[in-house]
Amino acid sequence: MKQQTTVELAGGKQIIFETGRIAKQASGAAFVTSGDTVVLATAVGAPEPKEGIDFFPLTVEYRETAYGGGRIPGGFIKREGRPSEKEILTSRQIDRPIRPLFPETYRNETQVVAFVYSADKQNDPDIIAINAASCALALSDIPFQGPIGAVRVGLIDGAFVVNPTYEERGKSVINITVAGTKDGIVMVESGAREATEEQVVSAIEFGHEQIQKICDTIIEFAQAAGKPKRSMAAAEDTSLYYDELRKGVGEQLTDALNTQKYGKTESYASIKQIKDEAKKSLPEGDPAAAKRFGKVFELLRENIFREQVLNDRVRPDRRAFDEIRKIDIEVGVLPRTHGSALFTRGETQALVTATLGTADDAQRLESYEGEQKRRFMLHYNFPPYSVGEVGRMTGTGRREIGHGALAQRALEAVLPDEKDSPYTLRVVSDITESNGSSSMASVCGASLALMQAGIPLKGAVAGVAMGLVKEGEKYSILTDIAGAEDHYGDMDFKVAGTRGGITALQMDIKIMGITPQIMREALDQARRGRLFLLDKMDAVISSASGEKSRYAPQIRTLQIPTDKIRDLIGPGGKVIRGIIEATQVKIDVDDSGKVDVSSSDPDGLARAIQMISDLTAVPEPGKTYLGKVVRLAEFGAFVEIFPGTDGLLHVSEIAEHRVKDVKDELREGDQVLVKVLAIEGNRIKLSRKAVLKEQRAKLGLTEPESQGGEERGEARSEREGRGDRNEGRRERPERVERAPRPERTAPAPSEETITLEGGEDFDDDDEDLDDLDVDDTDESEGGEETSSTDAGAADAGAAQGERSGRRRRRRGGRRGSSGNSGAPRT
């Protein structure tokens, strides 16, 4: 039977829980909705314990369906395949808070599965999946000591927002996922933009208030619709056996656990030897006794550690509670990588490399938000030799993906903007030794490697792992925890950030009763440790290297007009492929006109940039260009200033003197300096005269005399004189008086006269002739130069009169036949 309940969170956000309609054969099932996002979570527990194991066999699977977001999977295989990184990380987020809430003696195989069946573009299904899994376990007969609730908290404009949408998360200073029971927090996962410690604690407190509402709702829902819990056998009482073992090996074990006296490997070997000696007293052929011994020996080891920390106030390696182990840093350790760093902290060591790529190397992701490109990737590898073990290397495990994602979040807040550094970045952290918090070593090493590679980070990032040991009201907070402190402690609290604030945080809590005051103390102690690490890192490298590796691609960014994109690409990509083949570069063009050109060859890069600039250049008024004469005309020359871009160099702008014939000054193929005077639509007006004037002014030369009389409309008497106008003149031949032309009269209409229609058109053409810039003042009809300005004016007047007479005669002829203008042509 279908049953349903709703919880309302701050800001009017709702989560609807439903059961009894879907997946009724599972031990427990919850169909949970928020907005248009729907997740089905199921929990199934095997009826009998699994024999021969001493751990809880829990598996958690989270899957996102493509159809839930209204899309078909990409690639050749059109169905969901192996889990994505997001699915693996969400599976871990479900697993971590629920795992501590099962009884220690519970050994039944248990599986929690969450499927996303519908997804909107507002609500991230990961938070809904955690709540759905908690509800399914609470409704089932599995002995789950929950429920838990989970929320995401954002900080937008100084106010906390519960379960912010994808869009709101982009504006938020912090992005914290908080999971917990009604009584306390059990998990925190956070990314931030240099948030303060107080902002983080306040966000966690706000999140817990919302979690309490969710837990109350699930408890009431389970009471109404859930199944009775299975009965559990009582745990075996081993107190007597424990006391005997402590008397026998307690002192030896305490000495072997001293990692100041013994190194990690030697300490582990001593502990194993003590254990093997104690085993000899067990009765042969009694597997129950051997199993009990192993459990009690491990409990003794844990109690010795906790008593030393809480009562004796000493750590296994005898460090102070806020002391960080010895730090060693090297950068540039690998010759052919673009950036590298070797970061060593005590017995934890990370060899970190940075690789620079182009936009083509960005990772393409399909998610419910839409298709995305990831420009920064951080991958973490943990080979078995790092802890002195033999193991199978079968691919990337969930732990490796989780640690890499944490380190990636820590660095994302300080990456430069794309306009400042257009590179795609891949960082790989290979753990070569491990004894505590290799993920935080990866954060430090990644920051160093990126700076050594020449990436201008907004600030160096360091990370430190914090621990907690608590019994009742007594507790101790530990900085830079090692392996035993992580394993036997009550909290693993990783904090990464810059000098300005926190950029990433991850907390797993094994006990209840972690108060906000304890969190504040832990965060303040972590801040001091972080600053210590940053000082050590700054002493080696404090800013980005001035030069990038010669093996790294050099990227130059150009911005071209959007209407020039097609010119750069060319028909079918012919042009851009030609540039790539000729220069061996990579070219990335986006729709905004941004062009990234990359190559590790400086010469090829320079040639490609020049070719692109020539293809896409836009003329600017007032700017001078070196152009090529491509065509001559009577009125000037066409000059190509860019490939495919011509401008008109008018005859009046070719030289400072009057040019009679363009061919006297220019030839096709000549290269000339020209200045752009104006751009009118698609027409570009050029001037060579302006360039010549500027060059003469720079050289301090005097202005040459005008030779064409263009300014006054009259001819000068000589072309080469530089002194007195009455001296140094050339001898001129005497002007020959021309006989007056006989007056022409319009012929009288006759049968031989041809009548032309469209007389008005002829009139317009004649008017156009008057508008032509024709200057007859320099030459007579015979081509001889005039000897005085008066003669020039007279000739000009005669020429004008003659033209007017011709116009009158033509018009007269048409008027003479105007009576027949309406008749058909003969």
Side-chain angles (χ1 to χ4, degrees), residues 549-814:
S549 167
R550 62 193 179 100
Y551 303 111
Q554 306 297 315
I555 299 181
R556 299 291 181 270
T557 300
L558 296 82
Q559 187 67 43
I560 67 174
T562 53
D563 58 354
K564 292 286 186 178
I565 294 176
R566 62 181 181 181
D567 296 334
L568 173 59
I569 295 175
K574 180 179 179 182
V575 175
I576 197 169
R577 283 200 307 270
I579 298 174
I580 292 171
E581 291 172 2
T583 59
Q584 299 300 303
V585 301
K586 275 188 176 182
I587 302 176
D588 299 300
V589 187
D590 67 18
D591 294 338
S592 67
K594 185 172 77 70
V595 182
D596 288 334
V597 188
S598 59
S599 175
S600 55
D601 177 14
D603 294 335
L605 185 65
R607 286 192 294 124
I609 290 173
Q610 186 61 52
M611 293 169 75
I612 294 171
S613 299
D614 291 344
L615 276 170
T616 61
V618 176
E620 301 176 26
K623 193 169 181 180
T624 300
Y625 299 91
L626 178 63
K628 177 182 178 182
V629 178
V630 293
R631 186 162 64 89
L632 300 178
E634 292 184 3
F635 50 82
F638 290 94
V639 179
E640 183 182 62
I641 55 175
F642 309 126
T645 303
D646 299 346
L648 173 62
L649 179 61
H650 192 265
V651 63
S652 62
E653 296 293 339
I654 292 178
E656 292 186 88
H657 58 269
R658 177 178 176 78
V659 176
K660 294 188 296 181
D661 192 336
V662 176
K663 294 181 181 179
D664 292 343
E665 299 287 335
L666 300 172
R667 294 287 184 274
E668 287 188 10
D670 285 354
Q671 288 189 323
V672 291
L673 285 171
V674 290
K675 176 180 279 191
V676 176
L677 295 180
I679 301 173
E680 298 175 355
N682 294 327
R683 295 185 299 174
I684 303 171
K685 294 184 177 182
L686 305 176
S687 174
R688 179 170 172 257
K689 180 168 68 176
V691 176
L692 295 173
K693 283 184 177 180
E694 290 176 359
Q695 291 177 341
R696 179 172 42 73
K698 287 180 182 178
L699 295 173
L701 301 178
T702 59
E703 183 176 356
E705 282 203 47
S706 175
Q707 298 180 18
E710 294 175 308
E711 296 180 357
R712 294 196 303 246
E714 57 185 21
R716 292 191 181 276
S717 60
E718 54 185 86
R719 297 181 181 273
E720 301 174 357
R722 292 292 182 270
D724 191 337
R725 291 181 49 158
N726 296 320
E727 296 179 5
R729 293 180 178 174
R730 291 186 300 167
E731 291 294 332
R732 306 277 186 180
E734 243 184 24
R735 179 175 177 79
V736 179
E737 295 291 334
R738 292 176 297 193
R741 294 175 181 171
E743 185 178 353
R744 297 179 182 177
T745 58
S750 67
E751 294 179 358
E752 298 178 358
T753 302
I754 299 175
T755 302
L756 299 177
E757 295 182 352
E760 293 302 317
D761 294 338
F762 277 83
D763 287 346
D764 290 343
D765 291 343
D766 292 335
E767 292 297 331
D768 291 342
L769 290 172
D770 290 341
D771 293 336
L772 290 174
D773 185 14
V774 180
D775 190 351
D776 293 333
T777 58
D778 281 348
E779 297 179 1
S780 65
E781 286 187 13
E784 296 177 334
E785 298 183 2
T786 59
S787 60
S788 69
T789 57
D790 293 338
D795 285 350
Q800 180 67 28
E802 183 178 348
R803 287 196 299 271
S804 299
R806 286 199 297 269
R807 285 198 297 271
R808 284 195 296 272
R809 284 193 294 273
R810 287 198 295 271
R811 288 171 184 153
R814 289 194 295 271

Side-chain angles (χ1 to χ4, degrees), residues 155-359:
L155 179 60
I156 303 173
D157 298 329
F160 290 119
V161 178
V162 63
N163 294 344
T165 63
Y166 291 122
E167 183 179 356
E168 288 172 333
R169 283 160 63 177
K171 306 172 187 175
S172 181
V173 175
I174 57 177
N175 176 21
I176 299 182
T177 298
V178 186
T181 66
K182 186 177 178 179
D183 300 321
I185 300 299
V186 294
M187 184 198 76
V188 176
E189 188 86 29
S190 172
R193 299 174 184 173
E194 297 183 295
T196 65
E197 283 72 15
E198 186 56 38
Q199 285 175 329
V200 170
V201 174
S202 298
I204 294 172
E205 289 181 302
F206 172 79
H208 191 234
E209 292 173 4
Q210 308 306 309
I211 286 169
Q212 289 173 329
K213 297 178 185 179
I214 296 172
C215 290
D216 287 338
T217 301
I218 294 176
I219 290 170
E220 293 177 5
F221 194 43
Q223 290 172 349
K227 301 174 183 178
K229 296 300 180 183
R230 302 176 190 178
S231 59
M232 292 291 300
E236 181 185 3
D237 184 6
T238 57
S239 56
L240 292 176
Y241 191 76
Y242 174 85
D243 292 338
E244 290 178 7
L245 184 64
R246 179 151 196 165
K247 288 177 183 177
V249 300
E251 290 184 6
Q252 293 175 277
L253 191 56
T254 300
D255 179 68
L257 288 171
N258 185 345
T259 54
Q260 182 190 47
K261 184 177 181 180
Y262 307 103
K264 177 186 173 183
T265 303
E266 189 178 356
S267 173
Y268 281 16
S270 297
I271 293 169
K272 185 178 184 304
Q273 184 178 359
I274 294 168
K275 187 176 181 179
D276 291 342
E277 286 294 325
K279 268 186 179 182
K280 293 179 180 179
S281 62
L282 296 177
E284 293 184 7
D286 187 353
K291 184 176 179 181
R292 183 177 63 241
F293 170 79
K295 179 180 177 181
V296 173
F297 187 88
E298 188 67 16
L299 179 61
L300 175 60
R301 182 177 174 184
E302 178 181 348
N303 285 343
I304 291 173
F305 160 77
R306 295 177 69 86
E307 288 167 5
Q308 285 183 325
V309 171
L310 289 173
N311 301 329
D312 303 335
R313 307 292 292 174
V314 296
R315 301 172 70 170
D317 57 4
R318 303 308 187 260
R319 280 183 292 142
F321 284 179
D322 61 351
E323 184 182 348
I324 293 178
R325 289 169 288 176
K326 183 176 181 295
I327 302 294
D328 287 314
I329 297 173
E330 298 177 56
V331 296
V333 295
L334 301 175
R336 291 299 292 260
T337 60
H338 302 163
S340 61
L342 183 65
F343 181 86
T344 307
R345 185 189 60 238
E347 294 173 305
T348 297
Q349 186 179 74
L351 178 60
V352 188
T353 58
T355 306
L356 280 57
T358 66

Side-chain angles (χ1 to χ4, degrees), residues 349-514:
Q349 186 179 74
L351 178 60
V352 188
T353 58
T355 306
L356 280 57
T358 66
D360 280 348
D361 299 311
Q363 184 180 14
R364 289 169 172 80
L365 303 173
E366 286 185 344
S367 70
Y368 291 135
E369 295 177 74
E371 187 172 333
Q372 298 172 317
K373 286 187 178 181
R374 179 181 289 172
R375 291 180 52 241
F376 175 60
M377 296 153 281
L378 195 151
H379 298 147
Y380 168 99
N381 297 316
F382 193 86
Y385 67 77
S386 63
V387 288
E389 295 179 356
V390 176
R392 295 180 63 191
M393 299 182 65
T394 56
T396 307
R398 289 189 173 189
R399 180 180 177 276
E400 291 174 298
I401 291 174
H403 280 30
L406 173 62
Q408 180 171 311
R409 282 200 310 275
L411 272 295
E412 281 176 336
V414 299
L415 294 177
D417 296 331
E418 189 173 357
K419 60 183 178 62
D420 298 325
S421 180
Y423 291 97
T424 294
L425 306 172
R426 181 181 184 235
V427 173
V428 178
S429 175
D430 291 300
I431 305 304
T432 52
E433 293 182 44
S434 180
N435 184 19
S437 194
S438 55
S439 63
M440 295 297 96
S442 300
V443 170
C444 299
S447 180
L448 294 162
L450 286 169
M451 287 193 289
Q452 200 263 328
I455 300 301
L457 301 180
K458 297 173 184 176
V461 183
V464 62
M466 309 297 297
L468 175 74
V469 180
K470 186 176 184 297
E471 291 287 349
E473 298 300 319
K474 189 184 295 186
Y475 64 88
S476 298
I477 298 172
L478 310 176
T479 298
D480 181 26
I481 55 176
E485 296 167 331
D486 183 6
H487 184 70
Y488 297 122
D490 299 319
M491 179 178 73
D492 179 11
F493 196 6
K494 300 181 178 74
V495 188
T498 65
R499 294 185 185 276
I502 295 170
T503 58
L505 182 148
Q506 185 181 89
M507 180 171 67
D508 291 303
I509 302 173
K510 304 172 188 177
I511 61 171
M512 294 296 104
I514 305 296

